[in-house]
Amino acid sequence: MAIQYPDLPYAKDALAPIISANTLDFHYGKHHRAYVDNANKLIAGTEFEDVSLEAIIKKTVGDAAKVGIFNNTAQVWNHSFYWQCLKPDGGGIPTGAIGTKIMAAWGSYDKFVEELKTAGTTQFGSGWAWLVLDNGQLKIVKTANADTPIAHGLKPLLTLDVWEHAYYLDYQNRRPDYLAAVIDKLVNWDFVNSCLT
Ligand code: MN
């Protein structure tokens, strides 16, 4: 059971100008594909060859001897999830059940956005900012490098990639501008709502 390289859920130019086709050419076309290819090479002929992606991640987290498998499989999962968190003409005030839960947890959309942006901007070096469910409670967390909430018993609802490859071609060093634009214009709240159930 090979690890899958999923199709993008939209055209490569669909997120422009917030995220350009050029960025998606590299980010989806090169980086994500490389994680898939590396993961498949690393699990070939091992005990993980016929194990699901999520199970491989949970079985290899924290194992120094399997850090290559963990990093590549976790990055496959994180990227496949990230693409689904975005859509053209998305973003802004959340609708549906997640909107109600965010208002209950943070009191206002602006407070929620502030905390999410802070998580993304204060992640030192490469990583991810997340909205997760922790025992039914909404939380914002950040993870370094390939690390992923699914390895730690948390349920991801939304993620923002803050590796430089996610924004450097469009925003150079302005990570806060990338985060603000994606949250305002691209978040797929329908997908986030679907993750709640
Ligand atoms: Mn990435």
Side-chain angles (χ1 to χ4, degrees):
M1 183 177 57
I3 290 167
Q4 299 299 307
Y5 178 52
D7 291 335
L8 263 189
Y10 29 74
K12 275 198 190 148
D13 61 359
L15 304 182
I18 312 302
I19 296 175
S20 67
N22 193 26
T23 288
L24 286 182
D25 270 339
F26 281 93
H27 195 184
Y28 170 72
K30 309 272 188 206
H31 291 276
H32 188 174
R33 180 187 287 277
Y35 295 128
V36 173
D37 291 347
N38 288 335
N40 277 316
K41 276 183 211 154
L42 287 165
I43 65 169
T46 75
E47 68 200 276
F48 301 113
E49 198 161 25
D50 293 314
V51 177
S52 75
L53 183 63
E54 290 199 18
I56 297 172
I57 292 164
K58 288 172 185 169
K59 284 168 191 267
T60 57
V61 63
D63 184 342
K66 299 192 170 68
V67 68
I69 293 178
F70 176 80
N71 283 340
N72 284 282
T73 54
Q75 282 293 78
V76 171
W77 196 95
N78 291 345
H79 282 89
S80 299
F81 188 77
Y82 170 64
W83 307 129
Q84 296 180 83
C85 290
L86 308 178
K87 71 167 192 179
D89 300 319
I93 294 172
T95 50
I98 194 66
T100 307
K101 285 176 93 69
I102 284 173
M103 289 303 288
W106 280 275
S108 74
Y109 172 68
D110 289 347
K111 288 280 280 181
F112 163 77
V113 170
E114 186 184 325
E115 189 175 332
L116 185 58
K117 276 162 58 177
T118 298
T121 50
T122 59
Q123 171 52 41
F124 187 76
S126 296
W128 301 81
W130 304 84
L131 175 66
V132 299
L133 274 178
D134 180 2
N135 285 321
Q137 294 275 97
L138 285 187
K139 279 189 187 162
I140 288 169
V141 299
K142 53 191 177 179
T143 59
N145 300 313
D147 200 12
T148 180
I150 67 166
H152 307 285
L154 304 172
K155 183 175 170 57
L157 302 175
L158 168 66
T159 195
L160 300 170
D161 189 341
V162 297
W163 285 57
E164 285 187 346
H165 67 217
Y167 61 87
Y168 221 83
L169 293 173
D170 298 324
Y171 298 86
Q172 292 76 51
N173 61 325
R174 302 188 312 278
R175 188 191 288 185
D177 291 355
Y178 153 77
L179 288 167
V182 169
I183 294 167
D184 190 43
K185 305 275 195 224
L186 294 183
V187 170
N188 184 346
W189 289 115
D190 293 335
F191 175 72
V192 178
N193 270 305
S194 77
C195 294
L196 271 178
T197 55

